[in-house]
């Protein structure tokens, strides 16, 4: 018995198939080119707005990271007392559960990237470093950490400084390098509580 003739694919399904093939081929090419040491090829990542489509596997090449950064801060109270240097970021001990759920990894990676970027700006921008994006992000990160670490003491904080230290991790034979110390950053005083209209009118009548 002869087999029934195979129905050729429709034009619409053929176009869809070719479009999927072209998209996957382009994705593969963009991923492969983005791993090249030449930084000009990183322009392809501007089309990946969420940073999830084009992976980056160049962490250990061509220049492997051999140091880590430690972000410290100290505060100045309204009474003039200055605190010791305290950590604003710390390395969390790894556990097996972090293979499944480790949201703080994003925070530590962001601090690492900001510190390394700011270290590059120190030699290029000079006194204009406080205008840079890495400086402002680290400043706001430290300010939020101080406020959340001790909310009760936050109203007494007049200002703070932050310090970036580069160290070699587990190799204690190498002395840490102090890369950048910010200037004194004042903390804006909270606005005074606004009195309600009746109470304010009563005070004005009493004063009169």
């Amino acid at each position: 018995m002869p087999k029934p003739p195979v129905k050729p694919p429709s034009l619409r399904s053929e176009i869809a198939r070719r479009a999927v093939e072209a998209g996957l081929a382009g994705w593969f090419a963009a991923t492969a080119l983005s791993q090249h040491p030449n930084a000009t090829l990183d322009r392809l990542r501007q089309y990946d707005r969420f940073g999830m489509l084009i992976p980056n596997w160049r962490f250990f090449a061509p220049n492997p990271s051999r140091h880590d950064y430690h972000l410290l801060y100290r505060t100045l109270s309204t009474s003039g007392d200055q605190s010791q240097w305290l950590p604003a970021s710390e390395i969390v001990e790894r556990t097996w559960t972090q293979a499944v759920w480790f949201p703080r990894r994003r925070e530590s990676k962001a601090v690492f990237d900001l510190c390394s970027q700011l270290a590059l700006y120190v030699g290029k921008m000079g006194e204009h470093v406080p205008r840079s994006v890495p400086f402002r992000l680290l400043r706001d990160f430290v300010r939020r950490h101080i406020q959340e670490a001790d909310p009760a003491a936050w109203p007494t904080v007049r200002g703070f400084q932050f310090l970036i230290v580069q160290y070699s991790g587990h190799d204690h034979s190498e002395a840490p390098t102090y890369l950048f110390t910010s200037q004194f950053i004042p903390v804006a005083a909270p606005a005074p509580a606004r009195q309600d209209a009746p109470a304010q009118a009563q005070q004005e009548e009493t004063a009169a």
Side-chain angles (χ1 to χ4, degrees), residues 5 55 59 75 101 114 128 146 152-153 172 188-189 192 197 207-208:
F59 183 77
T75 61
W101 179 251
L114 290 173
H128 300 294
I146 298 172
H172 300 291

PDB file of all heavy atoms in Angstrom, residues 5 55 59 75 101 114 128 146 152-153 172 188-189 192 197 207-208:
ATOM      1  N   PRO A   5       1.304  10.973   0.672  1.00  0.00           N
ATOM      2  CA  PRO A   5       2.332  12.003   0.447  1.00  0.00           C
ATOM      3  C   PRO A   5       2.510  12.891   1.684  1.00  0.00           C
ATOM      4  O   PRO A   5       1.543  13.203   2.372  1.00  0.00           O
ATOM      5  CB  PRO A   5       1.778  12.806  -0.738  1.00  0.00           C
ATOM      6  CG  PRO A   5       0.298  12.570  -0.702  1.00  0.00           C
ATOM      7  CD  PRO A   5       0.120  11.161  -0.200  1.00  0.00           C
ATOM      8  N   PRO A  55      26.536  35.200  29.045  1.00  0.00           N
ATOM      9  CA  PRO A  55      27.350  34.913  30.237  1.00  0.00           C
ATOM     10  C   PRO A  55      28.766  35.444  30.085  1.00  0.00           C
ATOM     11  O   PRO A  55      29.242  35.727  28.979  1.00  0.00           O
ATOM     12  CB  PRO A  55      27.338  33.375  30.305  1.00  0.00           C
ATOM     13  CG  PRO A  55      27.127  32.940  28.889  1.00  0.00           C
ATOM     14  CD  PRO A  55      26.254  33.983  28.258  1.00  0.00           C
ATOM     15  N   PHE A  59      36.367  35.335  34.277  1.00  0.00           N
ATOM     16  CA  PHE A  59      36.795  35.748  35.609  1.00  0.00           C
ATOM     17  C   PHE A  59      38.257  35.382  35.868  1.00  0.00           C
ATOM     18  O   PHE A  59      38.988  36.121  36.507  1.00  0.00           O
ATOM     19  CB  PHE A  59      35.906  35.087  36.667  1.00  0.00           C
ATOM     20  CG  PHE A  59      36.232  35.524  38.064  1.00  0.00           C
ATOM     21  CD1 PHE A  59      35.824  36.757  38.531  1.00  0.00           C
ATOM     22  CD2 PHE A  59      36.966  34.709  38.913  1.00  0.00           C
ATOM     23  CE1 PHE A  59      36.125  37.182  39.820  1.00  0.00           C
ATOM     24  CE2 PHE A  59      37.269  35.121  40.199  1.00  0.00           C
ATOM     25  CZ  PHE A  59      36.847  36.347  40.642  1.00  0.00           C
ATOM     26  N   THR A  75      32.664  56.251  62.211  1.00  0.00           N
ATOM     27  CA  THR A  75      31.670  57.304  62.361  1.00  0.00           C
ATOM     28  C   THR A  75      32.158  58.377  63.335  1.00  0.00           C
ATOM     29  O   THR A  75      33.034  58.134  64.167  1.00  0.00           O
ATOM     30  CB  THR A  75      30.333  56.740  62.871  1.00  0.00           C
ATOM     31  OG1 THR A  75      30.543  56.125  64.159  1.00  0.00           O
ATOM     32  CG2 THR A  75      29.771  55.721  61.899  1.00  0.00           C
ATOM     33  N   TRP A 101      20.687  28.461  47.521  1.00  0.00           N
ATOM     34  CA  TRP A 101      20.155  29.779  47.843  1.00  0.00           C
ATOM     35  C   TRP A 101      21.232  30.609  48.509  1.00  0.00           C
ATOM     36  O   TRP A 101      21.676  30.307  49.604  1.00  0.00           O
ATOM     37  CB  TRP A 101      18.944  29.630  48.764  1.00  0.00           C
ATOM     38  CG  TRP A 101      18.333  30.934  49.183  1.00  0.00           C
ATOM     39  CD1 TRP A 101      18.362  31.515  50.424  1.00  0.00           C
ATOM     40  CD2 TRP A 101      17.594  31.850  48.359  1.00  0.00           C
ATOM     41  NE1 TRP A 101      17.703  32.720  50.423  1.00  0.00           N
ATOM     42  CE2 TRP A 101      17.207  32.956  49.169  1.00  0.00           C
ATOM     43  CE3 TRP A 101      17.223  31.838  47.008  1.00  0.00           C
ATOM     44  CZ2 TRP A 101      16.476  34.020  48.675  1.00  0.00           C
ATOM     45  CZ3 TRP A 101      16.492  32.914  46.524  1.00  0.00           C
ATOM     46  CH2 TRP A 101      16.128  33.974  47.355  1.00  0.00           C
ATOM     47  N   LEU A 114      32.535  47.433  42.636  1.00  0.00           N
ATOM     48  CA  LEU A 114      32.573  48.876  42.886  1.00  0.00           C
ATOM     49  C   LEU A 114      33.924  49.307  43.456  1.00  0.00           C
ATOM     50  O   LEU A 114      34.462  50.350  43.083  1.00  0.00           O
ATOM     51  CB  LEU A 114      31.453  49.274  43.838  1.00  0.00           C
ATOM     52  CG  LEU A 114      30.028  49.208  43.269  1.00  0.00           C
ATOM     53  CD1 LEU A 114      29.009  49.469  44.365  1.00  0.00           C
ATOM     54  CD2 LEU A 114      29.860  50.219  42.141  1.00  0.00           C
ATOM     55  N   HIS A 128      38.082  64.641  41.729  1.00  0.00           N
ATOM     56  CA  HIS A 128      36.716  64.478  41.235  1.00  0.00           C
ATOM     57  C   HIS A 128      36.155  63.079  41.503  1.00  0.00           C
ATOM     58  O   HIS A 128      35.067  62.752  41.022  1.00  0.00           O
ATOM     59  CB  HIS A 128      36.661  64.761  39.729  1.00  0.00           C
ATOM     60  CG  HIS A 128      37.106  66.151  39.361  1.00  0.00           C
ATOM     61  ND1 HIS A 128      36.420  67.281  39.740  1.00  0.00           N
ATOM     62  CD2 HIS A 128      38.193  66.581  38.658  1.00  0.00           C
ATOM     63  CE1 HIS A 128      37.036  68.348  39.282  1.00  0.00           C
ATOM     64  NE2 HIS A 128      38.123  67.958  38.633  1.00  0.00           N
ATOM     65  N   ILE A 146      25.312  51.605  58.184  1.00  0.00           N
ATOM     66  CA  ILE A 146      25.409  52.240  59.507  1.00  0.00           C
ATOM     67  C   ILE A 146      24.022  52.402  60.115  1.00  0.00           C
ATOM     68  O   ILE A 146      23.809  52.137  61.304  1.00  0.00           O
ATOM     69  CB  ILE A 146      26.120  53.595  59.396  1.00  0.00           C
ATOM     70  CG1 ILE A 146      27.553  53.417  58.885  1.00  0.00           C
ATOM     71  CG2 ILE A 146      26.136  54.314  60.739  1.00  0.00           C
ATOM     72  CD1 ILE A 146      28.251  54.719  58.562  1.00  0.00           C
ATOM     73  N   ALA A 152      19.178  52.781  66.747  1.00  0.00           N
ATOM     74  CA  ALA A 152      19.047  53.668  67.901  1.00  0.00           C
ATOM     75  C   ALA A 152      20.145  54.728  67.931  1.00  0.00           C
ATOM     76  O   ALA A 152      19.920  55.853  68.396  1.00  0.00           O
ATOM     77  CB  ALA A 152      19.060  52.852  69.191  1.00  0.00           C
ATOM     78  N   ALA A 153      21.348  54.369  67.466  1.00  0.00           N
ATOM     79  CA  ALA A 153      22.468  55.318  67.492  1.00  0.00           C
ATOM     80  C   ALA A 153      22.534  56.187  66.243  1.00  0.00           C
ATOM     81  O   ALA A 153      23.321  57.148  66.208  1.00  0.00           O
ATOM     82  CB  ALA A 153      23.786  54.562  67.659  1.00  0.00           C
ATOM     83  N   HIS A 172      48.471  35.455  54.545  1.00  0.00           N
ATOM     84  CA  HIS A 172      48.734  36.492  55.545  1.00  0.00           C
ATOM     85  C   HIS A 172      50.159  37.035  55.479  1.00  0.00           C
ATOM     86  O   HIS A 172      50.502  37.949  56.231  1.00  0.00           O
ATOM     87  CB  HIS A 172      48.465  35.938  56.945  1.00  0.00           C
ATOM     88  CG  HIS A 172      47.053  35.480  57.134  1.00  0.00           C
ATOM     89  ND1 HIS A 172      45.986  36.348  57.184  1.00  0.00           N
ATOM     90  CD2 HIS A 172      46.533  34.220  57.253  1.00  0.00           C
ATOM     91  CE1 HIS A 172      44.863  35.665  57.357  1.00  0.00           C
ATOM     92  NE2 HIS A 172      45.169  34.380  57.390  1.00  0.00           N
ATOM     93  N   ALA A 188      23.012  64.306  56.925  1.00  0.00           N
ATOM     94  CA  ALA A 188      22.021  65.376  57.053  1.00  0.00           C
ATOM     95  C   ALA A 188      21.187  65.155  58.299  1.00  0.00           C
ATOM     96  O   ALA A 188      20.739  64.046  58.587  1.00  0.00           O
ATOM     97  CB  ALA A 188      21.123  65.415  55.819  1.00  0.00           C
ATOM     98  N   ALA A 189      21.009  66.203  59.060  1.00  0.00           N
ATOM     99  CA  ALA A 189      20.207  66.117  60.282  1.00  0.00           C
ATOM    100  C   ALA A 189      18.753  65.941  59.921  1.00  0.00           C
ATOM    101  O   ALA A 189      18.267  66.508  58.941  1.00  0.00           O
ATOM    102  CB  ALA A 189      20.373  67.388  61.117  1.00  0.00           C
ATOM    103  N   PRO A 192      13.098  68.783  61.733  1.00  0.00           N
ATOM    104  CA  PRO A 192      12.331  68.850  62.983  1.00  0.00           C
ATOM    105  C   PRO A 192      10.865  68.535  62.744  1.00  0.00           C
ATOM    106  O   PRO A 192      10.316  68.816  61.678  1.00  0.00           O
ATOM    107  CB  PRO A 192      12.529  70.301  63.434  1.00  0.00           C
ATOM    108  CG  PRO A 192      12.868  71.044  62.180  1.00  0.00           C
ATOM    109  CD  PRO A 192      13.630  70.085  61.320  1.00  0.00           C
ATOM    110  N   ALA A 197      -1.344  72.820  63.523  1.00  0.00           N
ATOM    111  CA  ALA A 197      -1.802  74.207  63.486  1.00  0.00           C
ATOM    112  C   ALA A 197      -2.370  74.686  64.810  1.00  0.00           C
ATOM    113  O   ALA A 197      -2.037  75.790  65.266  1.00  0.00           O
ATOM    114  CB  ALA A 197      -2.819  74.376  62.355  1.00  0.00           C
ATOM    115  N   ALA A 207       2.556  83.713  73.432  1.00  0.00           N
ATOM    116  CA  ALA A 207       3.695  84.625  73.256  1.00  0.00           C
ATOM    117  C   ALA A 207       3.223  86.061  73.139  1.00  0.00           C
ATOM    118  O   ALA A 207       3.870  87.002  73.610  1.00  0.00           O
ATOM    119  CB  ALA A 207       4.516  84.242  72.026  1.00  0.00           C
ATOM    120  N   ALA A 208       2.022  86.263  72.525  1.00  0.00           N
ATOM    121  CA  ALA A 208       1.492  87.619  72.374  1.00  0.00           C
ATOM    122  C   ALA A 208       1.025  88.164  73.719  1.00  0.00           C
ATOM    123  O   ALA A 208       1.124  89.342  73.999  1.00  0.00           O
ATOM    124  CB  ALA A 208       0.355  87.620  71.379  1.00  0.00           C
TER     125      ALA A 208
END
